Amino acid sequence: MTNALTIGSRGGKHRTAATAARRRTHSARPSWDEPPTPVGQAAKGLTLGGTLAVILVPLWIIVLTSFSTPGAINRAGGLVIWPDGLSTETYRQMLGDPTIVTALGVSLGITVVGTALSMVVSILCAYGLSRPRSFGHRFLLMLLIVTMFVSGGLIPGFLVVTGLGGYGQWWALILPSAVSVFNILVLRAFYQETSSELIDAARMDGAGEWRILWSVVLPTSRAVTAVTALFYAVGYWNSFFNVMLYMPTDSQKWPLQYVLLTYVNRANGLPGSVNSGFGETHAQTAPLSLQMAVVVLTLVPLVIVYPFVQKHLRTGVLTGAIKG
Amino acid sequence: MSTAAQKRPAGPARLDRRTRLRRDKSLLLMTIPAVVLLLVFNYAPLFGIVTAFQEYDPLVGVWHSEWVGFDQFRQLFGDPAFWASMKNTLYLSFVQLILFFPIPIALALLLNSVISERIRNFFQSVVYLPHFFSWVLAVTIFQQMLGGAGVLNQFLRQHDIGTWDIMTNPHTFALLVTSQAIWKEAGWGIIVFLAALSAINSELYEAAAADGAGRFRRMWHITLPGLRGVIVLMLVLRLGNALSVGFEQFLIQRDAVGHEAADVLDTFSFYYGIATGGYSYGAAAGLFKSVVSLLLIWGANKLAHAFGEDGLYRT
């Protein structure tokens, strides 16, 4: 350490940086590992870079097109690859469009309400099954796990929901998928690892199970709570098949994904024009920039939440894979 | 295990049922909402399977529909459209197994050899991202890149090379959906392999290197055996799900490529069962799929045990 400092002070900044870099690579690469060949290094770089490009370039093109002027889109002959005239006009237009704004509200509503409900139900169930040797926990656990392997299939599920009057109802988009046994098992695995001394101490102080869950277990398992919430939220945000099943005709209740499907993927006119018939311009396919803006809109919440949860993903997934 | 239980002086296990019930009643109370939801939306449909043995009529409901025994199945097994969807399911599953399965393993090995933690983290956060996209979004992105009006054809047209619409070609549909699956899920698939890789004891590598084993011999003799358990587990899961290839993915693209190429068991069940109102017929197809899937999981798990691995579960 002193050595590096002396060299640095004598030889100027360049030398310090170079030495530090060499030291870092030297210490990071285990001594027994041979240094990579230039060809191998290049092949590796190309593969990794190519993989990133395959994911990022399409996203770049879509975002760029959504921010491009009609002129830029004309000049490009469609999607825009290089920036050539940017504007936020499309977004202003989009946020003035009742169909899209309604769909955004529906999507956000389903996601928020659904995730909250799923989390409460799952956390309670996971904690209820996490205490060793509690009454009936084996039987209940079995009851949960069986559903991961055996299912009645699509039609019986549909008949149950419609039989309960779920056709066209909001709850049909939330309740049938509110419980994910996988997520409960992930939470449970974490709760089992909560230090039992801590829990016993709380119990000594006269705390009941609800109190323990709320003030001991939950605060020590924030990471897994965040990951589970993300999984649920993504599930609700992305779902479109249940809309197809339970409210295929009522475009006022369509979430964003269903609008994306009809309006961008199938290039139909705006769904609003089907029912209400207002606005002649809406009957034709929307301009490309607007279509791409809808795509971007479905991405925005994910991009906002993802960075906060991303570093915990590994923990959540592995617990589920190994213990579940 | 048993000695530990005997040593425990007056453990809670010795309490009688009623005391334990009273002690754990708040724990049981907590499980009620989830259990009720599962009973209604997972267990009730299990009893709904009886519709597969009926001529279900939505006007009179399950209780009063006519009982027809195995008629639906007899009709199903004589239906060429059903066997076509069965063939598609197996074919698409097989193509995905061959082309998709090795990629996460290869990517994990490659990433594991990258020393810079910054690059590793950045790479992971990018490749995990498409896993969180909906199928509608993923297919839309593919359409914008490779479809008739997409970037690829834009380029081809501008250079007078002719057009190539990949999105509507039934002959290349298997490759298309497999590349979509790889694009969306392969990055996510590396998580388990990376974890297994980091669990391998690095002293093994050191010892092998000291014995003169080169990079590839170390990979063959240390890395791959270290991954064996996870690879077998993933294969078991894949085989067990062989009949459930991308339902939503195909549903979205069915109209574009035609049902001959895109119908799998799930979409068959949906179109015949709900879209055209033949509930019992669709339920029969669904039940057939569930039973075969269960057998597949059981068989794949047995196979894993035969290879000396834990597989999905041990009984």
Side-chain angles (χ1 to χ4, degrees):
Chain A
M1 202 60 210
T2 2
N3 204 4
L5 280 177
T6 13
I7 294 171
S9 59
R10 225 182 289 151
K13 273 191 172 166
H14 285 290
R15 219 144 141 213
T16 345
T19 326
R22 208 177 307 134
R23 286 190 153 230
R24 196 159 43 213
T25 36
H26 187 76
S27 57
R29 179 177 293 284
S31 56
W32 43 264
D33 198 6
E34 25 327 54
T37 60
V39 178
Q41 193 83 318
K44 199 195 281 183
L46 274 177
T47 319
L48 294 177
T51 310
L52 293 179
V54 164
I55 293 169
L56 293 178
V57 170
L59 296 180
W60 157 257
I61 293 177
I62 286 169
V63 172
L64 185 60
T65 307
S66 75
F67 278 106
S68 288
T69 55
I73 291 175
N74 263 337
R75 281 190 292 279
L79 290 145
V80 185
I81 298 169
W82 299 115
D84 175 32
L86 300 175
S87 96
T88 52
E89 181 49 39
T90 309
Y91 285 88
R92 223 165 293 146
Q93 199 186 330
M94 181 172 73
L95 295 178
D97 186 316
T99 311
I100 296 175
V101 173
T102 310
L104 179 65
V106 168
S107 277
L108 286 174
I110 290 175
T111 305
V112 170
V113 174
T115 308
L117 178 82
S118 289
M119 285 308 284
V120 170
V121 169
S122 306
I123 288 174
L124 287 179
C125 181
Y127 181 73
L129 297 176
S130 71
R131 294 301 100 211
R133 293 182 297 273
S134 74
F135 184 86
H137 80 282
R138 278 179 183 285
F139 169 75
L140 289 171
L141 208 54
M142 224 36 221
L143 194 82
L144 259 66
I145 291 173
V146 164
T147 62
M148 296 177 89
F149 293 97
V150 188
S151 93
L154 187 64
I155 314 283
F158 174 80
L159 294 180
V160 167
V161 174
T162 48
L164 293 171
Y167 195 84
Q169 298 295 314
W170 291 118
W171 64 258
L173 304 186
I174 293 177
L175 293 184
S177 54
V179 178
S180 150
V181 172
F182 176 85
N183 285 346
I184 291 183
L185 293 180
V186 171
L187 289 169
R188 176 177 174 266
F190 267 81
Y191 296 165
Q192 282 177 320
E193 277 165 20
T194 307
S195 128
S196 53
E197 284 94 30
L198 223 56
I199 292 178
D200 287 342
R203 200 164 280 143
M204 290 294 189
D205 293 343
E209 300 293 351
W210 299 88
R211 178 101 224 150
I212 293 173
L213 171 61
W214 183 254
S215 24
V216 179
V217 174
L218 277 183
T220 53
S221 52
R222 288 212 182 93
V224 74
T225 309
V227 175
T228 318
L230 176 75
F231 286 166
Y232 274 127
V234 165
Y236 285 115
W237 182 258
N238 283 347
S239 64
F240 83 95
F241 180 59
N242 47 15
V243 185
M244 204 163 166
L245 284 179
Y246 303 120
M247 41 188 65
T249 51
D250 191 354
S251 66
Q252 283 302 303
K253 290 183 176 174
W254 283 355
L256 211 48
Q257 300 287 344
Y258 210 69
V259 168
L260 182 67
L261 178 71
T262 35
Y263 177 36
V264 180
N265 198 296
R266 304 215 160 128
N268 293 340
L270 255 179
S273 62
V274 179
N275 274 6
S276 51
F278 68 88
E280 288 286 289
T281 46
H282 283 171
Q284 65 208 25
T285 306
L288 189 62
S289 62
L290 187 55
Q291 292 190 24
M292 293 309 101
V294 176
V295 174
V296 174
L297 195 59
T298 62
L299 273 168
V300 168
L302 183 60
V303 172
I304 294 174
V305 177
Y306 187 67
F308 295 101
V309 185
Q310 186 252 331
K311 60 175 184 288
H312 301 305
L313 282 178
R314 226 190 86 140
T315 8
V317 176
L318 292 177
T319 325
I322 292 162
K323 300 196 169 159
Chain B
M1 215 27 203
S2 61
T3 45
Q6 277 155 14
K7 267 183 203 162
R8 194 154 29 82
R14 292 215 177 154
L15 300 172
D16 68 286
R17 296 176 70 98
R18 197 177 297 162
T19 330
R20 286 172 63 220
L21 181 59
R22 199 176 314 126
R23 183 196 62 184
D24 294 334
K25 78 171 180 295
S26 41
L27 290 177
L28 287 169
L29 212 61
M30 290 176 179
T31 62
I32 286 177
V35 168
V36 167
L37 283 169
L38 285 176
L39 286 179
V40 174
F41 295 109
N42 293 72
Y43 280 91
L46 280 182
F47 297 102
I49 283 175
V50 293
T51 48
F53 302 95
Q54 294 177 328
E55 187 59 63
Y56 177 77
D57 181 349
L59 293 178
V60 295
V62 182
W63 301 112
H64 303 288
S65 288
E66 190 195 347
W67 191 261
V68 296
F70 283 91
D71 274 7
Q72 302 289 358
F73 291 92
R74 237 168 269 141
Q75 201 190 334
L76 196 65
F77 295 145
D79 185 347
F82 170 72
W83 291 113
S85 71
M86 182 75 186
K87 203 186 102 204
N88 274 341
T89 310
L90 294 175
Y91 173 63
L92 291 165
S93 236
F94 179 74
V95 172
Q96 294 212 357
L97 179 70
I98 301 291
L99 297 180
F100 183 114
F101 195 78
I103 289 180
I105 304 176
L107 273 181
L109 287 175
L110 195 67
L111 194 61
N112 198 47
S113 74
V114 172
I115 285 173
S116 155
E117 198 160 325
R118 269 245 307 300
I119 297 180
R120 280 213 311 252
N121 285 342
F122 177 69
F123 186 83
Q124 287 181 55
S125 31
V126 172
V127 296
Y128 294 165
L129 194 60
H131 169 75
F132 298 102
F133 293 178
S134 68
W135 270 114
V136 183
L137 181 56
V139 171
T140 306
I141 290 174
F142 262 73
Q143 195 185 34
Q144 296 302 330
M145 296 303 121
L146 306 176
V151 171
L152 176 71
N153 281 305
Q154 221 168 287
F155 177 83
L156 293 177
R157 228 174 284 129
Q158 277 156 10
H159 295 79
D160 289 321
I161 316 180
T163 54
W164 183 30
D165 193 353
I166 302 166
M167 298 298 287
T168 57
N169 186 346
H171 303 290
T172 52
F173 186 66
L175 289 179
L176 173 71
V177 290
T178 307
S179 16
Q180 288 168 347
I182 291 172
W183 185 83
K184 189 171 176 316
E185 301 295 340
W188 184 248
I190 71 178
I191 288 191
V192 277
F193 296 112
L194 279 181
L197 282 172
S198 66
I200 297 175
N201 188 347
S202 67
E203 282 170 22
L204 291 175
Y205 288 109
E206 201 171 346
D211 289 346
R215 184 175 294 134
F216 288 100
R217 297 210 35 198
R218 290 203 300 269
M219 183 182 280
W220 185 255
H221 290 291
I222 301 170
T223 312
L224 287 180
L227 288 183
R228 212 178 102 134
V230 182
I231 293 179
V232 170
L233 177 67
M234 290 295 130
L235 265 179
V236 169
L237 287 173
R238 188 65 234 135
L239 288 175
N241 283 324
L243 297 189
S244 313
V245 276
F247 172 53
E248 294 196 341
Q249 189 189 357
F250 299 162
L251 201 62
I252 298 166
Q253 300 181 84
R254 187 178 181 268
D255 293 344
V257 295
H259 65 95
E260 289 91 349
D263 248 351
V264 289
L265 285 178
D266 282 329
T267 51
F268 179 90
S269 183
F270 170 69
Y271 273 97
Y272 284 81
I274 293 173
T276 61
Y279 297 101
S280 286
Y281 200 52
L287 177 58
F288 173 79
K289 190 206 133 189
S290 299
V291 172
V292 177
S293 291
L294 209 57
L295 288 175
L296 278 174
I297 293 175
W298 178 79
N301 205 48
K302 275 265 179 273
L303 205 65
H305 292 171
F307 280 105
E309 298 292 344
D310 273 344
L312 195 56
Y313 57 89
R314 277 220 183 259
T315 40

